[in-house]
Amino acid sequence: MPHSLQFEVEHPYYSRTDGIWIPTFLTVGTTTVECEAKVDTGAEFCLFQRELADRLGLPVAAGPRLSLQTLNSSFQAYGHEIQLSTLGLTFQVTVYFAEEYGLPRNLLGRVGWLQQVRLAVVDYEEILYLSAYEPRMN
Protein backbone atom coordinates (compact mmCIF):
# COMPACT_ATOMS: atom_id res chain seq x y z
CA MET A 1 0.00 0.00 0.00
CA PRO A 2 1.58 3.35 -1.02
CA HIS A 3 2.01 6.13 1.53
CA SER A 4 2.26 9.83 0.95
CA LEU A 5 4.03 12.48 3.05
CA GLN A 6 4.28 16.21 2.51
CA PHE A 7 7.22 18.37 3.53
CA GLU A 8 7.68 22.09 4.14
CA VAL A 9 11.36 22.23 3.18
CA GLU A 10 13.44 20.75 0.38
CA HIS A 11 17.16 21.13 1.06
CA PRO A 12 19.89 20.06 -1.38
CA TYR A 13 23.13 18.74 0.08
CA TYR A 14 26.40 17.42 -1.25
CA SER A 15 26.56 13.65 -0.71
CA ARG A 16 30.28 13.33 -1.32
CA THR A 17 31.08 14.78 2.11
CA ASP A 18 31.12 12.72 5.30
CA GLY A 19 27.40 12.91 5.95
CA ILE A 20 24.48 15.28 5.64
CA TRP A 21 25.25 18.71 7.10
CA ILE A 22 22.66 21.44 7.56
CA PRO A 23 22.87 25.03 8.79
CA THR A 24 21.86 25.26 12.44
CA PHE A 25 21.19 28.20 14.75
CA LEU A 26 21.38 27.98 18.55
CA THR A 27 19.77 30.76 20.58
CA VAL A 28 19.84 31.61 24.29
CA GLY A 29 18.08 34.85 25.21
CA THR A 30 19.15 37.41 22.59
CA THR A 31 22.36 35.60 21.58
CA THR A 32 22.37 33.39 18.48
CA VAL A 33 25.26 31.39 17.06
CA GLU A 34 25.33 29.66 13.70
CA CYS A 35 27.04 26.36 12.98
CA GLU A 36 26.85 23.37 10.68
CA ALA A 37 25.43 20.19 12.23
CA LYS A 38 25.43 16.67 10.91
CA VAL A 39 22.14 14.77 10.70
CA ASP A 40 22.80 11.61 12.73
CA THR A 41 19.81 9.30 13.06
CA GLY A 42 21.95 6.95 15.16
CA ALA A 43 22.79 9.59 17.76
CA GLU A 44 20.50 9.56 20.77
CA PHE A 45 21.03 13.25 21.63
CA CYS A 46 21.88 16.54 19.93
CA LEU A 47 25.48 17.30 20.77
CA PHE A 48 27.38 20.53 20.16
CA GLN A 49 30.88 21.86 20.62
CA ARG A 50 31.86 23.47 23.92
CA GLU A 51 33.03 26.51 21.98
CA LEU A 52 29.41 27.21 20.94
CA ALA A 53 28.23 27.13 24.55
CA ASP A 54 30.91 29.68 25.41
CA ARG A 55 29.71 31.96 22.60
CA LEU A 56 26.15 31.62 23.94
CA GLY A 57 27.33 32.54 27.44
CA LEU A 58 26.25 29.19 28.93
CA PRO A 59 28.00 27.85 32.04
CA VAL A 60 28.38 24.37 30.58
CA ALA A 61 28.90 22.40 33.79
CA ALA A 62 25.77 23.95 35.35
CA GLY A 63 23.54 21.69 33.24
CA PRO A 64 22.66 18.04 33.90
CA ARG A 65 25.68 15.80 33.22
CA LEU A 66 25.51 12.97 30.70
CA SER A 67 28.14 10.31 30.00
CA LEU A 68 28.33 9.50 26.28
CA GLN A 69 30.16 6.68 24.55
CA THR A 70 31.28 6.23 20.97
CA LEU A 71 32.83 3.12 19.44
CA ASN A 72 36.28 4.14 20.63
CA SER A 73 35.92 6.66 23.46
CA SER A 74 33.73 8.15 26.14
CA PHE A 75 33.22 11.74 27.26
CA GLN A 76 30.99 14.00 29.33
CA ALA A 77 28.41 16.50 28.11
CA TYR A 78 25.96 18.85 29.83
CA GLY A 79 22.36 19.57 28.91
CA HIS A 80 20.89 23.03 28.39
CA GLU A 81 17.52 24.19 27.12
CA ILE A 82 17.95 26.38 24.07
CA GLN A 83 16.14 27.41 20.93
CA LEU A 84 17.30 25.23 18.01
CA SER A 85 16.58 26.27 14.43
CA THR A 86 17.25 24.27 11.30
CA LEU A 87 16.08 25.11 7.79
CA GLY A 88 13.42 27.50 9.07
CA LEU A 89 12.02 25.19 11.75
CA THR A 90 12.48 26.28 15.37
CA PHE A 91 12.12 24.26 18.58
CA GLN A 92 12.70 24.88 22.28
CA VAL A 93 14.67 21.77 23.29
CA THR A 94 17.41 20.38 25.50
CA VAL A 95 20.71 19.80 23.75
CA TYR A 96 24.10 18.78 25.12
CA PHE A 97 27.44 20.54 24.97
CA ALA A 98 30.71 18.64 25.25
CA GLU A 99 32.67 19.21 28.45
CA GLU A 100 35.97 19.37 26.57
CA TYR A 101 36.92 21.68 23.74
CA GLY A 102 37.61 20.39 20.23
CA LEU A 103 34.63 18.14 19.52
CA PRO A 104 35.07 17.42 15.78
CA ARG A 105 31.42 17.84 14.79
CA ASN A 106 27.99 18.96 15.93
CA LEU A 107 25.24 16.33 15.79
CA LEU A 108 21.49 16.51 15.35
CA GLY A 109 20.23 13.36 17.07
CA ARG A 110 16.91 11.82 18.01
CA VAL A 111 16.17 13.55 21.32
CA GLY A 112 15.94 17.29 20.71
CA TRP A 113 15.70 17.26 16.92
CA LEU A 114 14.70 14.11 15.07
CA GLN A 115 11.68 13.58 17.37
CA GLN A 116 10.53 17.10 16.42
CA VAL A 117 10.60 16.62 12.63
CA ARG A 118 9.34 14.54 9.75
CA LEU A 119 12.41 13.69 7.66
CA ALA A 120 13.06 12.05 4.32
CA VAL A 121 16.32 11.67 2.43
CA VAL A 122 16.76 10.82 -1.22
CA ASP A 123 20.53 10.38 -1.25
CA TYR A 124 20.70 9.52 -4.95
CA GLU A 125 19.26 12.98 -5.71
CA GLU A 126 21.10 14.66 -2.78
CA ILE A 127 17.90 16.11 -1.30
CA LEU A 128 16.70 16.24 2.29
CA TYR A 129 13.00 16.88 2.95
CA LEU A 130 11.92 18.30 6.30
CA SER A 131 8.78 19.40 8.15
CA ALA A 132 7.83 19.94 11.76
CA TYR A 133 6.31 16.77 13.17
CA GLU A 134 2.56 16.75 13.61
CA PRO A 135 0.68 13.60 14.63
CA ARG A 136 -1.29 12.08 11.76
CA MET A 137 -5.05 11.97 12.00
CA ASN A 138 -6.32 8.43 11.39
Side-chain angles (χ1 to χ4, degrees):
M1 164 189 260
H3 297 277
S4 177
L5 296 173
Q6 294 184 343
F7 296 92
E8 298 169 31
V9 178
E10 180 180 301
H11 178 72
Y13 64 90
Y14 188 62
S15 69
R16 285 151 192 87
T17 60
D18 65 338
I20 300 171
W21 295 84
I22 60 175
T24 302
F25 298 87
L26 309 177
T27 302
V28 173
T30 60
T31 304
T32 298
V33 297
E34 180 179 4
C35 64
E36 289 283 310
K38 183 176 184 177
V39 175
D40 188 344
T41 59
E44 187 170 356
F45 300 99
C46 294
L47 178 65
F48 292 93
Q49 297 163 326
R50 168 73 182 256
E51 293 84 345
L52 297 172
D54 289 351
R55 290 175 46 202
L56 288 166
L58 289 173
V60 173
R65 183 177 173 178
L66 179 68
S67 294
L68 297 169
Q69 294 183 336
T70 67
L71 289 174
N72 61 358
S73 68
S74 62
F75 60 95
Q76 306 303 310
Y78 295 88
H80 291 273
E81 188 171 315
I82 65 158
Q83 181 178 293
L84 171 69
S85 301
T86 55
L87 303 175
L89 302 177
T90 300
F91 310 101
Q92 193 73 25
V93 296
T94 297
V95 301
Y96 289 84
F97 293 94
E99 178 178 54
E100 300 293 326
Y101 292 95
L103 186 72
R105 67 185 57 86
N106 301 305
L107 301 176
L108 294 169
R110 288 187 307 109
V111 176
W113 187 73
L114 195 55
Q115 292 175 341
Q116 307 289 334
V117 301
R118 192 176 304 264
L119 171 72
V121 175
V122 182
D123 197 52
Y124 188 79
E125 297 176 8
E126 300 178 317
I127 298 174
L128 175 141
Y129 297 94
L130 190 68
S131 285
Y133 174 76
E134 295 176 12
R136 292 190 289 190
M137 300 298 202
N138 291 334

mmCIF file of all heavy atoms in Angstrom, residues 71-104:
data_model
loop_
_atom_site.group_PDB
_atom_site.id
_atom_site.type_symbol
_atom_site.label_atom_id
_atom_site.label_comp_id
_atom_site.label_asym_id
_atom_site.label_seq_id
_atom_site.Cartn_x
_atom_site.Cartn_y
_atom_site.Cartn_z
ATOM 1 N N LEU A 71 32.194 4.427 19.630
ATOM 2 C CA LEU A 71 32.826 3.125 19.440
ATOM 3 C C LEU A 71 34.210 3.050 20.070
ATOM 4 O O LEU A 71 34.648 1.992 20.495
ATOM 5 C CB LEU A 71 32.936 2.807 17.946
ATOM 6 C CG LEU A 71 31.622 2.487 17.250
ATOM 7 C CD1 LEU A 71 31.844 2.332 15.761
ATOM 8 C CD2 LEU A 71 30.992 1.249 17.835
ATOM 9 N N ASN A 72 34.900 4.190 20.143
ATOM 10 C CA ASN A 72 36.285 4.135 20.632
ATOM 11 C C ASN A 72 36.596 5.076 21.792
ATOM 12 O O ASN A 72 37.746 5.183 22.186
ATOM 13 C CB ASN A 72 37.255 4.395 19.484
ATOM 14 C CG ASN A 72 37.058 5.759 18.856
ATOM 15 O OD1 ASN A 72 36.176 6.493 19.260
ATOM 16 N ND2 ASN A 72 37.872 6.081 17.879
ATOM 17 N N SER A 73 35.622 5.763 22.342
ATOM 18 C CA SER A 73 35.918 6.661 23.463
ATOM 19 C C SER A 73 34.650 6.970 24.254
ATOM 20 O O SER A 73 33.550 6.602 23.860
ATOM 21 C CB SER A 73 36.549 7.961 22.963
ATOM 22 O OG SER A 73 35.604 8.716 22.228
ATOM 23 N N SER A 74 34.856 7.658 25.362
ATOM 24 C CA SER A 74 33.727 8.155 26.136
ATOM 25 C C SER A 74 34.059 9.564 26.590
ATOM 26 O O SER A 74 35.235 9.946 26.675
ATOM 27 C CB SER A 74 33.433 7.255 27.340
ATOM 28 O OG SER A 74 34.534 7.235 28.206
ATOM 29 N N PHE A 75 33.020 10.363 26.844
ATOM 30 C CA PHE A 75 33.217 11.740 27.260
ATOM 31 C C PHE A 75 31.968 12.231 27.971
ATOM 32 O O PHE A 75 30.935 11.570 27.958
ATOM 33 C CB PHE A 75 33.588 12.643 26.079
ATOM 34 C CG PHE A 75 32.555 12.676 24.990
ATOM 35 C CD1 PHE A 75 31.590 13.668 24.954
ATOM 36 C CD2 PHE A 75 32.539 11.710 24.000
ATOM 37 C CE1 PHE A 75 30.635 13.704 23.965
ATOM 38 C CE2 PHE A 75 31.584 11.737 22.994
ATOM 39 C CZ PHE A 75 30.634 12.735 22.983
ATOM 40 N N GLN A 76 32.081 13.402 28.575
ATOM 41 C CA GLN A 76 30.991 14.000 29.328
ATOM 42 C C GLN A 76 30.403 15.170 28.534
ATOM 43 O O GLN A 76 31.113 15.880 27.819
ATOM 44 C CB GLN A 76 31.480 14.514 30.684
ATOM 45 C CG GLN A 76 32.203 13.477 31.515
ATOM 46 C CD GLN A 76 31.354 12.253 31.773
ATOM 47 O OE1 GLN A 76 30.205 12.354 32.194
ATOM 48 N NE2 GLN A 76 31.905 11.079 31.517
ATOM 49 N N ALA A 77 29.106 15.361 28.715
ATOM 50 C CA ALA A 77 28.414 16.502 28.109
ATOM 51 C C ALA A 77 27.378 16.989 29.116
ATOM 52 O O ALA A 77 27.002 16.271 30.048
ATOM 53 C CB ALA A 77 27.758 16.102 26.799
ATOM 54 N N TYR A 78 26.907 18.225 28.904
ATOM 55 C CA TYR A 78 25.960 18.846 29.830
ATOM 56 C C TYR A 78 24.781 19.402 29.054
ATOM 57 O O TYR A 78 24.952 20.050 28.018
ATOM 58 C CB TYR A 78 26.651 19.949 30.627
ATOM 59 C CG TYR A 78 27.723 19.414 31.532
ATOM 60 C CD1 TYR A 78 29.025 19.244 31.082
ATOM 61 C CD2 TYR A 78 27.424 19.030 32.837
ATOM 62 C CE1 TYR A 78 30.014 18.727 31.906
ATOM 63 C CE2 TYR A 78 28.400 18.511 33.670
ATOM 64 C CZ TYR A 78 29.690 18.363 33.199
ATOM 65 O OH TYR A 78 30.659 17.842 34.020
ATOM 66 N N GLY A 79 23.581 19.158 29.584
ATOM 67 C CA GLY A 79 22.359 19.570 28.905
ATOM 68 C C GLY A 79 21.946 20.989 29.246
ATOM 69 O O GLY A 79 22.072 21.433 30.389
ATOM 70 N N HIS A 80 21.420 21.672 28.220
ATOM 71 C CA HIS A 80 20.890 23.028 28.390
ATOM 72 C C HIS A 80 19.700 23.202 27.457
ATOM 73 O O HIS A 80 19.726 22.764 26.308
ATOM 74 C CB HIS A 80 21.957 24.075 28.055
ATOM 75 C CG HIS A 80 23.059 24.111 29.059
ATOM 76 N ND1 HIS A 80 22.991 24.878 30.196
ATOM 77 C CD2 HIS A 80 24.236 23.454 29.109
ATOM 78 C CE1 HIS A 80 24.097 24.715 30.902
ATOM 79 N NE2 HIS A 80 24.870 23.843 30.269
ATOM 80 N N GLU A 81 18.677 23.877 27.963
ATOM 81 C CA GLU A 81 17.525 24.185 27.124
ATOM 82 C C GLU A 81 17.835 25.423 26.307
ATOM 83 O O GLU A 81 18.230 26.462 26.841
ATOM 84 C CB GLU A 81 16.277 24.416 27.965
ATOM 85 C CG GLU A 81 15.041 24.550 27.094
ATOM 86 C CD GLU A 81 13.760 24.575 27.888
ATOM 87 O OE1 GLU A 81 13.609 23.755 28.807
ATOM 88 O OE2 GLU A 81 12.917 25.433 27.572
ATOM 89 N N ILE A 82 17.672 25.289 25.001
ATOM 90 C CA ILE A 82 17.951 26.379 24.073
ATOM 91 C C ILE A 82 16.878 26.392 22.994
ATOM 92 O O ILE A 82 16.046 25.487 22.915
ATOM 93 C CB ILE A 82 19.336 26.222 23.404
ATOM 94 C CG1 ILE A 82 19.351 24.969 22.515
ATOM 95 C CG2 ILE A 82 20.461 26.172 24.418
ATOM 96 C CD1 ILE A 82 20.401 24.988 21.462
ATOM 97 N N GLN A 83 16.957 27.388 22.138
ATOM 98 C CA GLN A 83 16.137 27.409 20.933
ATOM 99 C C GLN A 83 17.021 26.894 19.805
ATOM 100 O O GLN A 83 18.107 27.415 19.576
ATOM 101 C CB GLN A 83 15.669 28.831 20.633
ATOM 102 C CG GLN A 83 14.789 28.927 19.408
ATOM 103 C CD GLN A 83 14.322 30.345 19.204
ATOM 104 O OE1 GLN A 83 13.561 30.870 20.001
ATOM 105 N NE2 GLN A 83 14.814 30.977 18.153
ATOM 106 N N LEU A 84 16.562 25.870 19.107
ATOM 107 C CA LEU A 84 17.296 25.230 18.012
ATOM 108 C C LEU A 84 16.535 25.459 16.727
ATOM 109 O O LEU A 84 15.345 25.139 16.653
ATOM 110 C CB LEU A 84 17.430 23.730 18.307
ATOM 111 C CG LEU A 84 17.981 22.840 17.210
ATOM 112 C CD1 LEU A 84 19.456 23.140 16.990
ATOM 113 C CD2 LEU A 84 17.792 21.373 17.582
ATOM 114 N N SER A 85 17.219 26.012 15.723
ATOM 115 C CA SER A 85 16.579 26.271 14.429
ATOM 116 C C SER A 85 17.371 25.603 13.316
ATOM 117 O O SER A 85 18.593 25.749 13.254
ATOM 118 C CB SER A 85 16.503 27.774 14.148
ATOM 119 O OG SER A 85 15.767 28.433 15.155
ATOM 120 N N THR A 86 16.644 24.887 12.468
ATOM 121 C CA THR A 86 17.249 24.266 11.295
ATOM 122 C C THR A 86 16.308 24.436 10.113
ATOM 123 O O THR A 86 15.128 24.108 10.196
ATOM 124 C CB THR A 86 17.506 22.758 11.503
ATOM 125 O OG1 THR A 86 16.286 22.129 11.884
ATOM 126 C CG2 THR A 86 18.577 22.504 12.547
ATOM 127 N N LEU A 87 16.825 24.978 9.044
ATOM 128 C CA LEU A 87 16.077 25.106 7.791
ATOM 129 C C LEU A 87 14.707 25.749 7.990
ATOM 130 O O LEU A 87 13.710 25.328 7.416
ATOM 131 C CB LEU A 87 15.950 23.746 7.107
ATOM 132 C CG LEU A 87 17.280 23.042 6.795
ATOM 133 C CD1 LEU A 87 17.045 21.657 6.229
ATOM 134 C CD2 LEU A 87 18.126 23.883 5.844
ATOM 135 N N GLY A 88 14.653 26.752 8.850
ATOM 136 C CA GLY A 88 13.424 27.504 9.068
ATOM 137 C C GLY A 88 12.497 26.930 10.122
ATOM 138 O O GLY A 88 11.473 27.534 10.432
ATOM 139 N N LEU A 89 12.828 25.782 10.690
ATOM 140 C CA LEU A 89 12.019 25.189 11.752
ATOM 141 C C LEU A 89 12.697 25.461 13.088
ATOM 142 O O LEU A 89 13.903 25.274 13.227
ATOM 143 C CB LEU A 89 11.873 23.683 11.546
ATOM 144 C CG LEU A 89 11.257 23.249 10.209
ATOM 145 C CD1 LEU A 89 11.233 21.739 10.116
ATOM 146 C CD2 LEU A 89 9.862 23.819 10.049
ATOM 147 N N THR A 90 11.918 25.882 14.082
ATOM 148 C CA THR A 90 12.484 26.282 15.374
ATOM 149 C C THR A 90 11.794 25.527 16.501
ATOM 150 O O THR A 90 10.559 25.408 16.520
ATOM 151 C CB THR A 90 12.304 27.801 15.570
ATOM 152 O OG1 THR A 90 12.983 28.476 14.509
ATOM 153 C CG2 THR A 90 12.875 28.256 16.896
ATOM 154 N N PHE A 91 12.628 25.038 17.447
ATOM 155 C CA PHE A 91 12.121 24.265 18.576
ATOM 156 C C PHE A 91 12.827 24.704 19.850
ATOM 157 O O PHE A 91 14.007 25.036 19.835
ATOM 158 C CB PHE A 91 12.403 22.768 18.374
ATOM 159 C CG PHE A 91 11.976 22.256 17.035
ATOM 160 C CD1 PHE A 91 12.906 22.054 16.028
ATOM 161 C CD2 PHE A 91 10.644 21.991 16.765
ATOM 162 C CE1 PHE A 91 12.513 21.587 14.785
ATOM 163 C CE2 PHE A 91 10.242 21.526 15.536
ATOM 164 C CZ PHE A 91 11.176 21.330 14.535
ATOM 165 N N GLN A 92 12.117 24.667 20.957
ATOM 166 C CA GLN A 92 12.703 24.885 22.283
ATOM 167 C C GLN A 92 13.003 23.494 22.827
ATOM 168 O O GLN A 92 12.076 22.732 23.124
ATOM 169 C CB GLN A 92 11.717 25.646 23.183
ATOM 170 C CG GLN A 92 12.331 26.179 24.437
ATOM 171 C CD GLN A 92 13.244 27.374 24.178
ATOM 172 O OE1 GLN A 92 13.099 28.092 23.204
ATOM 173 N NE2 GLN A 92 14.198 27.576 25.060
ATOM 174 N N VAL A 93 14.284 23.139 22.940
ATOM 175 C CA VAL A 93 14.666 21.769 23.290
ATOM 176 C C VAL A 93 15.897 21.754 24.194
ATOM 177 O O VAL A 93 16.591 22.761 24.344
ATOM 178 C CB VAL A 93 14.965 20.930 22.027
ATOM 179 C CG1 VAL A 93 13.730 20.756 21.166
ATOM 180 C CG2 VAL A 93 16.086 21.540 21.215
ATOM 181 N N THR A 94 16.169 20.591 24.755
ATOM 182 C CA THR A 94 17.408 20.385 25.499
ATOM 183 C C THR A 94 18.421 19.742 24.570
ATOM 184 O O THR A 94 18.126 18.731 23.918
ATOM 185 C CB THR A 94 17.177 19.483 26.727
ATOM 186 O OG1 THR A 94 16.267 20.143 27.615
ATOM 187 C CG2 THR A 94 18.479 19.211 27.458
ATOM 188 N N VAL A 95 19.591 20.350 24.495
ATOM 189 C CA VAL A 95 20.713 19.796 23.749
ATOM 190 C C VAL A 95 21.888 19.664 24.709
ATOM 191 O O VAL A 95 21.853 20.180 25.820
ATOM 192 C CB VAL A 95 21.101 20.669 22.535
ATOM 193 C CG1 VAL A 95 19.924 20.829 21.581
ATOM 194 C CG2 VAL A 95 21.632 22.021 22.964
ATOM 195 N N TYR A 96 22.934 18.991 24.271
ATOM 196 C CA TYR A 96 24.103 18.778 25.119
ATOM 197 C C TYR A 96 25.334 19.427 24.500
ATOM 198 O O TYR A 96 25.492 19.443 23.273
ATOM 199 C CB TYR A 96 24.322 17.276 25.339
ATOM 200 C CG TYR A 96 23.250 16.714 26.226
ATOM 201 C CD1 TYR A 96 22.019 16.323 25.710
ATOM 202 C CD2 TYR A 96 23.436 16.629 27.598
ATOM 203 C CE1 TYR A 96 21.014 15.852 26.531
ATOM 204 C CE2 TYR A 96 22.430 16.158 28.432
ATOM 205 C CZ TYR A 96 21.231 15.776 27.886
ATOM 206 O OH TYR A 96 20.229 15.325 28.709
ATOM 207 N N PHE A 97 26.171 19.952 25.381
ATOM 208 C CA PHE A 97 27.436 20.543 24.970
ATOM 209 C C PHE A 97 28.566 19.724 25.582
ATOM 210 O O PHE A 97 28.516 19.382 26.770
ATOM 211 C CB PHE A 97 27.534 21.999 25.436
ATOM 212 C CG PHE A 97 26.552 22.897 24.742
ATOM 213 C CD1 PHE A 97 25.310 23.159 25.308
ATOM 214 C CD2 PHE A 97 26.855 23.464 23.519
ATOM 215 C CE1 PHE A 97 24.394 23.979 24.665
ATOM 216 C CE2 PHE A 97 25.943 24.287 22.868
ATOM 217 C CZ PHE A 97 24.711 24.542 23.444
ATOM 218 N N ALA A 98 29.567 19.418 24.774
ATOM 219 C CA ALA A 98 30.706 18.635 25.250
ATOM 220 C C ALA A 98 31.421 19.373 26.373
ATOM 221 O O ALA A 98 31.527 20.602 26.358
ATOM 222 C CB ALA A 98 31.670 18.369 24.100
ATOM 223 N N GLU A 99 31.908 18.620 27.348
ATOM 224 C CA GLU A 99 32.666 19.207 28.446
ATOM 225 C C GLU A 99 34.018 19.742 27.957
ATOM 226 O O GLU A 99 34.452 20.803 28.366
ATOM 227 C CB GLU A 99 32.892 18.139 29.525
ATOM 228 C CG GLU A 99 33.703 18.612 30.703
ATOM 229 C CD GLU A 99 33.841 17.526 31.748
ATOM 230 O OE1 GLU A 99 34.287 16.411 31.410
ATOM 231 O OE2 GLU A 99 33.475 17.810 32.901
ATOM 232 N N GLU A 100 34.645 18.999 27.078
ATOM 233 C CA GLU A 100 35.966 19.365 26.572
ATOM 234 C C GLU A 100 35.841 20.159 25.269
ATOM 235 O O GLU A 100 34.874 20.010 24.528
ATOM 236 C CB GLU A 100 36.805 18.105 26.319
ATOM 237 C CG GLU A 100 37.024 17.247 27.549
ATOM 238 C CD GLU A 100 37.880 17.927 28.601
ATOM 239 O OE1 GLU A 100 38.794 18.690 28.231
ATOM 240 O OE2 GLU A 100 37.626 17.700 29.801
ATOM 241 N N TYR A 101 36.849 20.946 24.995
ATOM 242 C CA TYR A 101 36.920 21.685 23.736
ATOM 243 C C TYR A 101 37.400 20.757 22.617
ATOM 244 O O TYR A 101 38.050 19.746 22.875
ATOM 245 C CB TYR A 101 37.874 22.875 23.880
ATOM 246 C CG TYR A 101 37.340 23.944 24.805
ATOM 247 C CD1 TYR A 101 37.711 23.970 26.142
ATOM 248 C CD2 TYR A 101 36.447 24.901 24.341
ATOM 249 C CE1 TYR A 101 37.210 24.944 27.000
ATOM 250 C CE2 TYR A 101 35.944 25.867 25.192
ATOM 251 C CZ TYR A 101 36.325 25.884 26.518
ATOM 252 O OH TYR A 101 35.823 26.834 27.363
ATOM 253 N N GLY A 102 37.073 21.097 21.382
ATOM 254 C CA GLY A 102 37.609 20.390 20.228
ATOM 255 C C GLY A 102 36.762 19.250 19.696
ATOM 256 O O GLY A 102 37.250 18.448 18.903
ATOM 257 N N LEU A 103 35.501 19.157 20.099
ATOM 258 C CA LEU A 103 34.628 18.138 19.521
ATOM 259 C C LEU A 103 34.646 18.317 18.002
ATOM 260 O O LEU A 103 34.456 19.426 17.502
ATOM 261 C CB LEU A 103 33.200 18.306 20.067
ATOM 262 C CG LEU A 103 32.183 17.238 19.682
ATOM 263 C CD1 LEU A 103 32.478 15.939 20.427
ATOM 264 C CD2 LEU A 103 30.772 17.715 20.014
ATOM 265 N N PRO A 104 34.876 17.246 17.231
ATOM 266 C CA PRO A 104 35.071 17.417 15.785
ATOM 267 C C PRO A 104 33.824 17.762 14.978
ATOM 268 O O PRO A 104 33.933 18.226 13.850
ATOM 269 C CB PRO A 104 35.642 16.073 15.338
ATOM 270 C CG PRO A 104 35.227 15.101 16.390
ATOM 271 C CD PRO A 104 35.109 15.883 17.670
#
